[in-house]
């Protein structure tokens, strides 16, 4: 394809990273940065273009300081674009030196923390650097190495020891094989009822690829991703970190046999970031029921024992289980008051109730509430209607994809 980026060779045969948007917008962006007092940054950026790598790194540090000068919403957009610019400059030096991991790290930080102006350059550069990195790495063939999760059936008696009280004793979520679009619309979408859909993901390349450590390392190992560390987002010791995907995979493997705090890649738009993984999945046809739009496509990847506490979401949701198994408990939106939601605006969609350790004195209404639950197996999808409260626990190492969409009426209201 004529528009695809290529690694041009200069006179000294070093690799070159094309950045057409940066080239076209550089002077205008530097003037805007200078107008906000960024004269030192502009000087360092000019030196970086002239071939000074330490100046490129200094400019990146200056922009980073501006990104952390106050609340994120108060950071001027021009400084986010300045950070993207500096990340591209740094990546160019690493790429020219054949340091592909370092180049990808700089580009990912630009994508995660930078502005919108240079996103196409960042994305195209990632594709080019990733391609060169794969040429350098040896071929991994059919990825027949170590599997992340062995294919063994669930031992229900063992699982019940770690699940919340009364699990698998109340209403079970319907399981439907090869559910037709008409059946989904009539029996579940229009009635607002959860359902597990089986035999609907066999054609996904992810079903065979994502359970192989070698494959995930080859396509994503050098990429930088945000992860959550700690029990869950409602706990005081919870925090977020930026790590390479390889480091994240190693932490998960370590977590199998130690008491290290769980590390969880949760609700992250991984597929916007890593095209190879996006190509391994398909948007389910069910997500087009209602005539609305796909709102988000997120990854959930972590070790056994990771928990998403009881909460609800505003959109229709299909949770596709690609690798491993999860337990999910669901309560209808009509039970909101009995589930004691937080009063704070930021947490109003989360329950104060810890289902793993219910305080019966503080939350007496919860214990006898009726609910639906299921064990979601590899290759199955769970439809969760809007505003249904749900609790999720990984029973094994688990890689899931969530598809949020709105129906036509919701899209026109937003």
């Amino acid at each position: 394809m004529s528009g695809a980026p290529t690694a041009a060779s200069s006179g000294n045969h070093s690799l070159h990273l094309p950045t057409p948007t940066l080239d076209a917008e550089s002077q205008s962006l530097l003037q805007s940065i200078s107008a906000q007092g960024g004269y030192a940054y502009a000087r360092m950026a000019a030196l970086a273009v002239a071939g000074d790598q330490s100046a490129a790194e200094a400019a990146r540090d200056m922009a980073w300081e501006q990104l952390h000068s106050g609340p994120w919403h108060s950071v001027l957009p021009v400084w986010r674009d300045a950070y993207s610019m500096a990340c591209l400059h740094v990546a160019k030096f690493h790429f020219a030196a054949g340091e592909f991991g370092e180049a990808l790290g700089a580009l990912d930080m630009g994508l995660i923390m930078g502005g919108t102006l240079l996103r196409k350059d960042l994305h195209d550069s990632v594709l080019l650097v990733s391609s060169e990195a794969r040429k350098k790495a040896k071929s991994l063939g059919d990825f027949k190495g170590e599997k992340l999760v062995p294919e063994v059936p669930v031992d229900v008696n063992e699982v019940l020891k770690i699940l919340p009280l009364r699990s698998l004793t109340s209403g079970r979520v319907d399981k439907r094989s090869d559910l037709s679009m008409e059946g989904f619309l009539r029996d579940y979408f229009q009635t607002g009822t959860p359902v597990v859909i089986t035999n609907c993901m066999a054609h996904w390349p992810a079903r065979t690829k994502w359970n192989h450590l070698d494959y995930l390392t080859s396509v994503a190992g050098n990429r930088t991703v945000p992860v959550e560390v700690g029990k869950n987002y409602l706990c005081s010791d919870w925090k977020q970190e930026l790590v390479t995907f390889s480091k994240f995979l190693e932490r998960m493997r370590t977590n199998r046999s130690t008491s290290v705090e769980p590390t969880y890649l949760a609700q992250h738009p991984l597929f916007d970031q890593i095209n190879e993984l996006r190509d391994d999945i398909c948007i389910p046809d069910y997500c087009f029921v209602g005539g609305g739009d796909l709102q988000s496509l997120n990854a959930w990847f972590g070790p056994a024992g990771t928990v998403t506490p009881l909460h609800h979401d505003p959109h229709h949701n299909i949770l596709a289980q690609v690798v491993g198994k999860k337990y999910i408990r669901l309560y209808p939106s009509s039970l909101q008051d009995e589930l004691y939601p937080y009063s704070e605006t930021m947490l109003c969609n989360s329950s104060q109730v810890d289902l793993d350790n219910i305080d019966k004195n503080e939350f007496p209404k919860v214990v006898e509430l009726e609910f639906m639950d299921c064990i979601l197996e590899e290759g199955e999808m769970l439809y969760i209607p809007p505003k249904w409260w749900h609790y999720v626990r990984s029973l094994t190492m688990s890689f899931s994809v969530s598809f949020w969409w709105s129906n036509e009426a919701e899209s026109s209201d937003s």
Side-chain angles (χ1 to χ4, degrees):
M1 212 167 104
S2 59
T6 57
S9 296
S10 63
N12 63 358
H13 302 291
S14 64
L15 292 162
H16 170 65
L17 210 53
T19 52
T21 308
L22 175 62
D23 297 344
E25 300 290 342
S26 180
Q27 287 306 312
S28 174
L29 178 55
L30 288 175
Q31 288 173 6
S32 298
I33 293 167
S34 297
Q36 296 299 328
Y39 303 107
Y41 174 95
R43 284 197 300 274
M44 290 298 105
L47 290 172
V49 172
D52 188 336
Q53 181 171 352
S54 61
E57 291 167 348
R60 182 175 60 172
D61 290 343
M62 291 175 188
W64 181 260
E65 288 180 11
Q66 290 295 325
L67 296 186
H68 293 81
S69 60
W72 181 250
H73 62 80
S74 69
V75 175
L76 293 174
V78 70
W79 280 112
R80 298 183 194 180
D81 290 328
Y83 185 72
S84 296
M85 170 189 267
C87 287
L88 281 166
H89 285 316
V90 170
K92 282 171 176 277
F93 287 107
H94 287 304
F95 186 59
E99 298 165 351
F100 302 135
E102 291 83 351
L104 284 170
L107 294 169
D108 274 328
M109 289 303 294
L111 285 169
I112 293 168
M113 302 295 291
T116 58
L117 178 65
L118 302 175
R119 285 192 76 80
K120 187 172 190 313
D121 279 359
L122 289 163
H123 273 298
D124 288 348
S125 295
V126 163
L127 293 176
L128 180 53
V129 178
S130 297
S131 174
E132 292 296 322
R134 281 194 295 275
K135 290 178 189 176
K136 185 177 178 181
K138 68 175 184 177
S139 173
L140 291 169
D142 294 327
F143 304 104
K144 293 180 179 177
E146 179 185 350
K147 279 196 169 186
L148 289 173
V149 182
E151 295 177 10
V152 295
V154 172
D155 184 335
V156 174
N157 290 326
E158 286 299 311
V159 164
L160 285 173
K161 295 176 183 177
I162 60 171
L163 294 182
L165 290 173
R166 299 177 58 223
S167 292
L168 305 178
T169 64
S170 190
R172 303 297 289 274
V173 180
D174 280 358
K175 283 203 176 190
R176 297 282 300 272
S177 176
D178 294 320
L179 181 61
S180 69
M181 294 286 282
E182 294 79 9
F184 174 70
L185 175 64
R186 179 187 63 245
D187 298 336
Y188 302 100
F189 185 86
Q190 290 182 335
T191 62
T193 306
V195 61
V196 171
I197 307 168
T198 65
N199 297 321
C200 53
M201 292 165 54
H203 60 293
W204 288 20
R207 288 281 291 115
T208 53
K209 290 181 175 181
W210 289 7
N211 201 12
H212 289 281
L213 189 66
D214 287 347
Y215 176 73
L216 295 175
T217 302
S218 72
V219 300
N222 289 322
R223 307 301 300 276
T224 299
V225 293
V227 296
E228 301 179 355
V229 181
K231 183 181 175 183
N232 63 61
Y233 65 85
L234 296 177
C235 295
S236 59
D237 61 350
W238 179 86
K239 59 184 178 180
Q240 292 179 296
E241 294 179 4
L242 291 168
V243 299
T244 64
F245 204 80
S246 287
K247 185 174 182 180
F248 168 59
L249 288 171
E250 184 56 36
R251 282 193 192 179
M252 282 205 298
R253 297 173 71 202
T254 304
N255 196 66
R256 287 174 172 173
S257 56
T258 71
S259 59
V260 173
E261 286 184 318
T263 301
Y264 195 18
L265 192 155
Q267 200 168 334
H268 174 54
L270 184 68
F271 311 107
D272 290 343
Q273 186 183 358
I274 304 176
N275 286 358
E276 294 91 338
L277 294 179
R278 174 63 183 85
D279 291 341
D280 289 338
I281 62 175
C282 306
I283 299 174
D285 289 344
Y286 307 110
C287 296
F288 300 104
V289 169
D293 302 312
L294 193 70
Q295 299 292 321
S296 67
L297 173 60
N298 288 320
W300 306 79
F301 189 16
T306 52
V307 169
T308 302
L310 192 61
H311 71 288
H312 68 78
D313 300 310
H315 301 295
H316 298 276
N317 179 11
I318 278 186
L319 180 66
Q321 191 63 25
V322 182
V323 176
K325 309 173 195 298
K326 281 183 168 173
Y327 169 82
I328 299 106
R329 178 179 292 197
L330 304 119
Y331 296 87
S333 58
S334 59
L335 296 179
Q336 172 155 321
D337 291 343
E338 289 87 346
L339 294 173
Y340 304 91
Y342 281 92
S343 56
E344 298 97 309
T345 304
M346 287 291 290
L347 294 175
C348 64
N349 72 325
S350 298
S351 170
Q352 299 177 63
V353 180
D354 180 357
L355 287 182
D356 293 309
N357 185 23
I358 298 174
D359 186 329
K360 297 178 182 179
N361 293 322
E362 190 171 1
F363 309 117
K365 300 177 184 177
V366 173
V367 180
E368 300 303 324
L369 288 180
E370 291 301 310
F371 56 83
M372 303 172 74
D373 63 0
C374 66
I375 292 176
L376 196 63
E377 304 270 0
E378 283 190 12
E380 296 181 343
M381 297 177 181
L382 170 65
Y383 168 60
I384 305 174
K387 301 295 181 71
W388 271 69
W389 293 80
H390 49 287
Y391 159 101
V392 184
R393 173 182 280 272
S394 296
L395 304 179
T396 65
M397 190 180 292
S398 169
F399 202 157
S400 313
V401 183
S402 63
F403 302 84
W404 280 10
W405 82 99
S406 58
N407 62 30
E408 191 172 16
E410 292 164 343
S411 296
S412 62
D413 289 342
S414 59

